[in-house]
Amino acid sequence: MKHLLKLEGMPGESMREILDSTSAIKARRGAGEAKPLDAQTWAMIFTKSSTRTRVSFEVGIRELVGSVMFLNANDMQLGRGEPIRDTARVLGRMVHGAVIRTYAQADIEEFAALSNIPTINALTDDEHPCQILTDIFTFEEARGPINGRVVTYVGDGACNVPLSWVYAAAALDFELRIAAPAEFQPSAETLAKAGGNITCTEDIQTAVDQADMVYTDVWVSMGMEAETEARLAKLAGYQINAKVMRFAKPDALVMHCLPAYRGKEIDEETFEAHSNNIFNQAENRLHTQKAIMTWLAV
Protein backbone atom coordinates (compact mmCIF):
# COMPACT_ATOMS: atom_id res chain seq x y z
CA MET A 1 0.00 0.00 0.00
CA LYS A 2 1.50 3.31 -1.11
CA HIS A 3 0.97 6.60 0.70
CA LEU A 4 2.37 10.13 0.47
CA LEU A 5 2.84 11.09 4.09
CA LYS A 6 6.11 13.03 4.00
CA LEU A 7 9.17 13.69 1.88
CA GLU A 8 11.45 12.55 4.68
CA GLY A 9 12.81 9.20 3.54
CA MET A 10 11.01 9.28 0.18
CA PRO A 11 13.33 8.07 -2.58
CA GLY A 12 14.30 10.61 -5.18
CA GLU A 13 13.18 8.11 -7.84
CA SER A 14 9.62 8.22 -6.50
CA MET A 15 9.61 12.02 -6.42
CA ARG A 16 10.92 12.07 -9.97
CA GLU A 17 8.24 9.62 -11.13
CA ILE A 18 5.53 11.97 -9.84
CA LEU A 19 7.22 15.07 -11.27
CA ASP A 20 7.73 13.52 -14.69
CA SER A 21 4.10 12.40 -14.95
CA THR A 22 2.80 15.84 -13.94
CA SER A 23 3.82 17.35 -17.29
CA ALA A 24 1.81 14.79 -19.26
CA ILE A 25 -1.18 15.10 -16.93
CA LYS A 26 -1.18 18.89 -17.26
CA ALA A 27 -0.84 18.73 -21.05
CA ARG A 28 -3.76 16.39 -21.56
CA ARG A 29 -6.17 18.03 -19.10
CA GLY A 30 -9.65 17.90 -20.61
CA ALA A 31 -8.49 15.84 -23.59
CA GLY A 32 -8.65 12.10 -23.05
CA GLU A 33 -7.47 11.99 -19.45
CA ALA A 34 -6.75 8.72 -17.69
CA LYS A 35 -9.31 7.43 -15.20
CA PRO A 36 -7.31 5.90 -12.35
CA LEU A 37 -9.99 6.74 -9.74
CA ASP A 38 -12.95 5.48 -11.77
CA ALA A 39 -15.68 4.11 -9.46
CA GLN A 40 -13.71 5.19 -6.38
CA THR A 41 -14.77 7.53 -3.57
CA TRP A 42 -12.12 9.54 -1.74
CA ALA A 43 -12.55 11.30 1.59
CA MET A 44 -10.97 14.66 2.39
CA ILE A 45 -10.61 15.19 6.13
CA PHE A 46 -9.57 18.75 6.97
CA THR A 47 -8.92 20.10 10.46
CA LYS A 48 -7.09 23.17 9.10
CA SER A 49 -8.65 25.73 6.77
CA SER A 50 -7.69 25.71 3.11
CA THR A 51 -8.28 27.33 -0.27
CA ARG A 52 -5.80 25.94 -2.82
CA THR A 53 -5.39 22.51 -1.25
CA ARG A 54 -9.10 21.84 -0.94
CA VAL A 55 -10.07 23.13 -4.38
CA SER A 56 -7.19 21.42 -6.20
CA PHE A 57 -7.84 18.04 -4.60
CA GLU A 58 -11.61 18.18 -5.09
CA VAL A 59 -11.25 19.15 -8.75
CA GLY A 60 -8.42 16.66 -9.24
CA ILE A 61 -10.35 13.70 -7.85
CA ARG A 62 -13.32 14.52 -10.08
CA GLU A 63 -11.11 14.92 -13.16
CA LEU A 64 -9.63 11.48 -12.45
CA VAL A 65 -13.25 10.25 -12.50
CA GLY A 66 -13.51 9.65 -8.77
CA SER A 67 -16.13 10.85 -6.31
CA VAL A 68 -15.13 13.02 -3.38
CA MET A 69 -16.59 13.87 0.00
CA PHE A 70 -15.28 16.76 2.10
CA LEU A 71 -15.33 16.06 5.84
CA ASN A 72 -14.62 18.91 8.21
CA ALA A 73 -13.17 17.24 11.27
CA ASN A 74 -15.29 19.45 13.52
CA ASP A 75 -18.43 18.00 11.92
CA MET A 76 -17.27 14.41 12.48
CA GLN A 77 -16.99 12.40 15.65
CA LEU A 78 -13.30 13.35 15.57
CA GLY A 79 -14.45 16.74 16.77
CA ARG A 80 -16.03 15.09 19.81
CA GLY A 81 -12.95 13.08 20.72
CA GLU A 82 -13.20 9.87 18.70
CA PRO A 83 -9.65 8.52 18.24
CA ILE A 84 -8.14 8.84 14.77
CA ARG A 85 -7.46 5.11 14.85
CA ASP A 86 -11.18 4.34 15.05
CA THR A 87 -12.05 6.81 12.30
CA ALA A 88 -9.37 5.19 10.14
CA ARG A 89 -10.74 1.69 10.59
CA VAL A 90 -14.27 2.82 9.74
CA LEU A 91 -13.41 4.90 6.66
CA GLY A 92 -11.03 2.23 5.42
CA ARG A 93 -14.02 -0.06 4.96
CA MET A 94 -16.05 2.52 3.04
CA VAL A 95 -13.82 4.74 0.88
CA HIS A 96 -10.90 4.11 -1.43
CA GLY A 97 -8.45 6.86 -0.42
CA ALA A 98 -8.02 9.76 1.99
CA VAL A 99 -6.56 13.26 1.82
CA ILE A 100 -5.89 14.65 5.29
CA ARG A 101 -4.95 18.19 6.38
CA THR A 102 -4.35 18.39 10.10
CA TYR A 103 -1.95 19.36 12.87
CA ALA A 104 -0.12 16.26 14.11
CA GLN A 105 1.98 14.18 11.73
CA ALA A 106 1.40 11.19 14.02
CA ASP A 107 -2.34 11.33 13.32
CA ILE A 108 -1.97 10.98 9.57
CA GLU A 109 0.59 8.22 9.95
CA GLU A 110 -1.70 6.32 12.30
CA PHE A 111 -4.61 6.78 9.89
CA ALA A 112 -2.56 5.39 7.00
CA ALA A 113 -1.36 2.40 9.04
CA LEU A 114 -4.85 1.38 10.18
CA SER A 115 -7.12 2.36 7.28
CA ASN A 116 -5.41 0.23 4.63
CA ILE A 117 -6.22 2.83 1.95
CA PRO A 118 -3.90 5.25 0.10
CA THR A 119 -3.44 8.31 2.30
CA ILE A 120 -2.08 11.74 1.34
CA ASN A 121 -0.67 14.38 3.65
CA ALA A 122 -2.30 17.62 2.54
CA LEU A 123 -0.37 19.48 5.29
CA THR A 124 0.64 18.77 8.86
CA ASP A 125 2.74 20.76 11.31
CA ASP A 126 5.76 18.66 10.25
CA GLU A 127 5.57 18.65 6.44
CA HIS A 128 3.76 19.87 3.33
CA PRO A 129 4.91 17.34 0.71
CA CYS A 130 2.32 18.09 -2.00
CA GLN A 131 3.28 21.76 -1.96
CA ILE A 132 7.00 21.16 -2.40
CA LEU A 133 6.52 18.63 -5.21
CA THR A 134 4.37 21.27 -6.92
CA ASP A 135 7.03 23.92 -6.36
CA ILE A 136 9.74 21.76 -7.89
CA PHE A 137 7.53 21.00 -10.89
CA THR A 138 6.85 24.73 -11.31
CA PHE A 139 10.55 25.54 -11.20
CA GLU A 140 11.44 22.84 -13.72
CA GLU A 141 8.61 23.88 -16.02
CA ALA A 142 10.13 27.38 -16.16
CA ARG A 143 13.85 26.76 -15.78
CA GLY A 144 14.66 23.09 -16.45
CA PRO A 145 16.07 20.45 -14.05
CA ILE A 146 16.45 21.51 -10.45
CA ASN A 147 19.44 19.32 -9.69
CA GLY A 148 22.55 21.44 -9.18
CA ARG A 149 20.50 24.63 -8.76
CA VAL A 150 20.33 26.93 -5.72
CA VAL A 151 17.06 27.33 -3.84
CA THR A 152 16.93 29.92 -1.05
CA TYR A 153 14.19 29.91 1.56
CA VAL A 154 13.73 33.16 3.49
CA GLY A 155 11.73 33.54 6.70
CA ASP A 156 10.56 30.95 9.21
CA GLY A 157 12.87 28.10 8.28
CA ALA A 158 11.61 25.66 10.90
CA CYS A 159 7.98 25.22 9.77
CA ASN A 160 6.47 22.53 7.56
CA VAL A 161 7.26 24.04 4.14
CA PRO A 162 11.04 24.52 4.59
CA LEU A 163 11.31 21.17 6.36
CA SER A 164 9.87 19.45 3.30
CA TRP A 165 12.34 21.47 1.18
CA VAL A 166 15.15 20.07 3.36
CA TYR A 167 14.25 16.48 2.52
CA ALA A 168 13.64 17.23 -1.16
CA ALA A 169 17.06 18.88 -1.54
CA ALA A 170 18.89 15.78 -0.40
CA ALA A 171 16.79 13.45 -2.55
CA LEU A 172 16.95 15.52 -5.77
CA ASP A 173 20.48 16.89 -5.44
CA PHE A 174 20.07 20.66 -5.34
CA GLU A 175 21.52 23.22 -2.95
CA LEU A 176 19.19 24.60 -0.30
CA ARG A 177 19.98 27.71 1.71
CA ILE A 178 17.79 28.86 4.57
CA ALA A 179 17.97 32.48 5.73
CA ALA A 180 16.36 32.86 9.14
CA PRO A 181 17.09 33.95 12.71
CA ALA A 182 18.81 31.16 14.61
CA GLU A 183 15.67 30.20 16.53
CA PHE A 184 13.75 29.82 13.25
CA GLN A 185 16.22 27.43 11.62
CA PRO A 186 15.79 23.65 11.32
CA SER A 187 17.37 21.66 14.13
CA ALA A 188 20.84 20.19 13.73
CA GLU A 189 19.24 16.77 14.14
CA THR A 190 16.90 17.38 11.18
CA LEU A 191 19.73 18.60 8.96
CA ALA A 192 21.93 15.66 9.87
CA LYS A 193 19.10 13.22 9.20
CA ALA A 194 18.35 14.76 5.81
CA GLY A 195 21.91 15.02 4.52
CA GLY A 196 22.42 16.90 1.26
CA ASN A 197 23.84 20.32 0.48
CA ILE A 198 21.92 22.45 2.98
CA THR A 199 23.14 25.55 4.80
CA CYS A 200 21.44 27.82 7.32
CA THR A 201 22.44 31.41 7.98
CA GLU A 202 21.13 34.58 9.55
CA ASP A 203 22.66 36.57 6.67
CA ILE A 204 19.97 37.00 4.02
CA GLN A 205 22.41 38.47 1.47
CA THR A 206 24.69 35.44 1.66
CA ALA A 207 21.76 33.07 1.33
CA VAL A 208 20.26 34.81 -1.71
CA ASP A 209 23.56 35.37 -3.55
CA GLN A 210 23.22 33.95 -7.09
CA ALA A 211 20.15 31.90 -6.14
CA ASP A 212 17.99 30.37 -8.90
CA MET A 213 14.86 30.53 -6.76
CA VAL A 214 13.94 32.67 -3.75
CA TYR A 215 11.04 31.30 -1.73
CA THR A 216 9.03 32.44 1.24
CA ASP A 217 5.92 31.59 3.23
CA VAL A 218 3.85 33.23 5.94
CA TRP A 219 5.61 34.09 9.18
CA VAL A 220 2.70 32.97 11.35
CA SER A 221 1.55 29.46 10.54
CA MET A 222 -1.87 28.11 11.48
CA GLY A 223 -1.96 27.33 15.18
CA MET A 224 0.68 29.93 16.03
CA GLU A 225 -1.58 32.99 16.14
CA ALA A 226 -0.75 33.66 19.80
CA GLU A 227 2.87 34.26 18.74
CA THR A 228 2.00 36.75 16.00
CA GLU A 229 3.47 39.91 17.51
CA ALA A 230 6.74 38.27 18.56
CA ARG A 231 7.18 36.47 15.25
CA LEU A 232 6.61 39.60 13.18
CA ALA A 233 9.20 41.47 15.22
CA LYS A 234 11.84 38.75 14.99
CA LEU A 235 11.36 38.08 11.26
CA ALA A 236 11.04 41.70 10.14
CA GLY A 237 14.50 41.66 8.52
CA TYR A 238 13.68 38.62 6.36
CA GLN A 239 11.34 40.13 3.79
CA ILE A 240 11.75 39.37 0.09
CA ASN A 241 11.91 42.71 -1.71
CA ALA A 242 13.76 44.42 -4.56
CA LYS A 243 16.82 45.06 -2.41
CA VAL A 244 17.12 41.38 -1.53
CA MET A 245 16.45 40.20 -5.09
CA ARG A 246 19.41 42.22 -6.42
CA PHE A 247 21.69 39.53 -4.97
CA ALA A 248 19.93 36.64 -6.75
CA LYS A 249 20.44 35.68 -10.38
CA PRO A 250 18.77 38.11 -12.79
CA ASP A 251 16.24 35.46 -13.88
CA ALA A 252 15.65 34.03 -10.40
CA LEU A 253 12.12 32.86 -9.72
CA VAL A 254 10.28 34.20 -6.69
CA MET A 255 7.86 31.68 -5.25
CA HIS A 256 5.27 31.81 -2.48
CA CYS A 257 2.88 28.99 -1.56
CA LEU A 258 0.16 31.50 -0.56
CA PRO A 259 -1.67 33.09 1.10
CA ALA A 260 0.70 36.05 0.90
CA TYR A 261 0.75 38.86 3.44
CA ARG A 262 2.18 41.77 1.48
CA GLY A 263 4.36 44.06 3.54
CA LYS A 264 5.45 41.20 5.78
CA GLU A 265 7.26 38.21 4.22
CA ILE A 266 7.18 39.85 0.77
CA ASP A 267 6.52 43.37 -0.39
CA GLU A 268 3.78 44.35 -2.84
CA GLU A 269 6.15 45.34 -5.66
CA THR A 270 8.08 42.07 -5.64
CA PHE A 271 4.96 39.96 -5.34
CA GLU A 272 3.29 41.60 -8.31
CA ALA A 273 6.48 41.51 -10.40
CA HIS A 274 6.53 37.73 -9.98
CA SER A 275 2.79 37.13 -9.70
CA ASN A 276 2.49 35.20 -12.95
CA ASN A 277 4.88 32.54 -11.73
CA ILE A 278 3.36 32.53 -8.24
CA PHE A 279 -0.10 31.86 -9.67
CA ASN A 280 1.32 29.24 -12.06
CA GLN A 281 2.63 27.64 -8.89
CA ALA A 282 -0.87 27.76 -7.38
CA GLU A 283 -2.45 26.25 -10.51
CA ASN A 284 0.13 23.48 -10.57
CA ARG A 285 -1.18 22.18 -7.25
CA LEU A 286 -4.01 20.65 -9.30
CA HIS A 287 -1.77 18.93 -11.84
CA THR A 288 0.81 17.67 -9.35
CA GLN A 289 -1.83 16.29 -7.00
CA LYS A 290 -3.48 14.47 -9.88
CA ALA A 291 -0.06 12.95 -10.59
CA ILE A 292 0.29 11.95 -6.91
CA MET A 293 -3.11 10.24 -6.90
CA THR A 294 -2.32 8.50 -10.18
CA TRP A 295 0.99 7.30 -8.69
CA LEU A 296 -0.84 5.94 -5.66
CA ALA A 297 -3.46 4.22 -7.77
CA VAL A 298 -0.94 2.20 -9.77
Side-chain angles (χ1 to χ4, degrees):
M1 179 64 61
K2 286 196 293 189
H3 309 286
L4 181 62
L5 305 181
K6 54 187 179 180
L7 296 190
E8 178 187 354
M10 186 177 186
E13 294 80 6
S14 296
M15 296 185 199
R16 180 52 57 195
E17 186 177 348
I18 293 168
L19 292 166
D20 289 346
S21 68
T22 301
S23 294
I25 285 171
K26 182 175 182 177
R28 67 172 180 256
R29 186 187 184 200
E33 295 192 62
K35 303 177 181 180
L37 304 188
D38 190 18
Q40 293 189 13
T41 298
W42 280 54
M44 295 174 55
I45 305 169
F46 280 37
T47 302
K48 290 187 172 186
S49 59
S50 170
T51 299
R52 284 149 291 277
T53 300
R54 177 177 176 177
V55 173
S56 56
F57 267 114
E58 286 202 30
V59 173
I61 290 168
R62 291 189 177 101
E63 291 190 355
L64 297 177
V65 202
S67 298
V68 58
M69 58 174 64
F70 180 80
L71 303 170
N72 185 315
N74 293 326
D75 296 331
M76 302 170 63
Q77 295 298 335
L78 277 172
R80 299 181 62 216
E82 182 176 36
I84 190 72
R85 59 183 178 273
D86 291 351
T87 301
R89 287 180 286 190
V90 170
L91 291 185
R93 294 165 182 249
M94 298 182 181
V95 301
H96 302 90
V99 180
I100 302 178
R101 182 179 177 94
T102 191
Y103 291 89
Q105 180 74 22
D107 284 350
I108 195 169
E109 293 184 6
E110 184 174 28
F111 184 98
L114 294 175
S115 67
N116 199 35
I117 56 175
T119 303
I120 297 173
N121 177 356
L123 179 144
T124 64
D125 288 345
D126 285 11
E127 282 211 41
H128 200 353
C130 298
Q131 179 67 61
I132 276 54
L133 290 173
T134 296
D135 300 336
I136 294 169
F137 171 76
T138 303
F139 178 87
E140 295 193 332
E141 187 179 43
R143 295 289 186 268
I146 199 169
N147 60 292
R149 300 297 194 108
V150 176
V151 175
T152 297
Y153 184 95
V154 178
D156 179 3
C159 66
N160 48 17
V161 167
L163 292 181
S164 288
W165 272 112
V166 164
Y167 296 115
L172 296 178
D173 192 28
F174 58 87
E175 181 182 352
L176 176 66
R177 304 172 188 164
I178 295 176
E183 67 184 284
F184 292 96
Q185 295 177 8
S187 68
E189 179 184 4
T190 295
L191 296 175
K193 183 167 53 175
N197 186 4
I198 302 165
T199 57
C200 298
T201 178
E202 295 185 75
D203 186 340
I204 189 171
Q205 177 179 335
T206 299
V208 174
D209 185 51
Q210 294 302 297
D212 296 286
M213 180 205 302
V214 183
Y215 193 111
T216 192
D217 192 8
V218 298
W219 289 344
V220 183
S221 297
M222 286 179 283
M224 297 181 177
E225 289 79 8
E227 305 171 26
T228 297
E229 187 175 343
R231 283 176 160 267
L232 295 183
K234 292 173 181 177
L235 290 163
Y238 292 86
Q239 181 188 85
I240 295 180
N241 51 40
K243 180 179 178 181
V244 166
M245 290 306 299
R246 284 202 296 269
F247 299 106
K249 288 183 178 177
D251 65 344
L253 296 180
V254 171
M255 298 181 72
H256 194 309
C257 62
L258 302 176
Y261 294 91
R262 296 159 174 83
K264 295 183 173 64
E265 72 273 6
I266 190 168
D267 70 352
E268 174 80 20
E269 179 185 4
T270 306
F271 183 91
E272 291 301 332
H274 296 270
S275 61
N276 187 60
N277 184 68
I278 290 170
F279 288 107
N280 284 342
Q281 178 188 1
E283 177 199 335
N284 284 336
R285 291 292 301 278
L286 170 63
H287 311 303
T288 308
Q289 285 158 191
K290 287 170 68 177
I292 289 167
M293 290 185 284
T294 300
W295 177 73
L296 291 175
V298 173

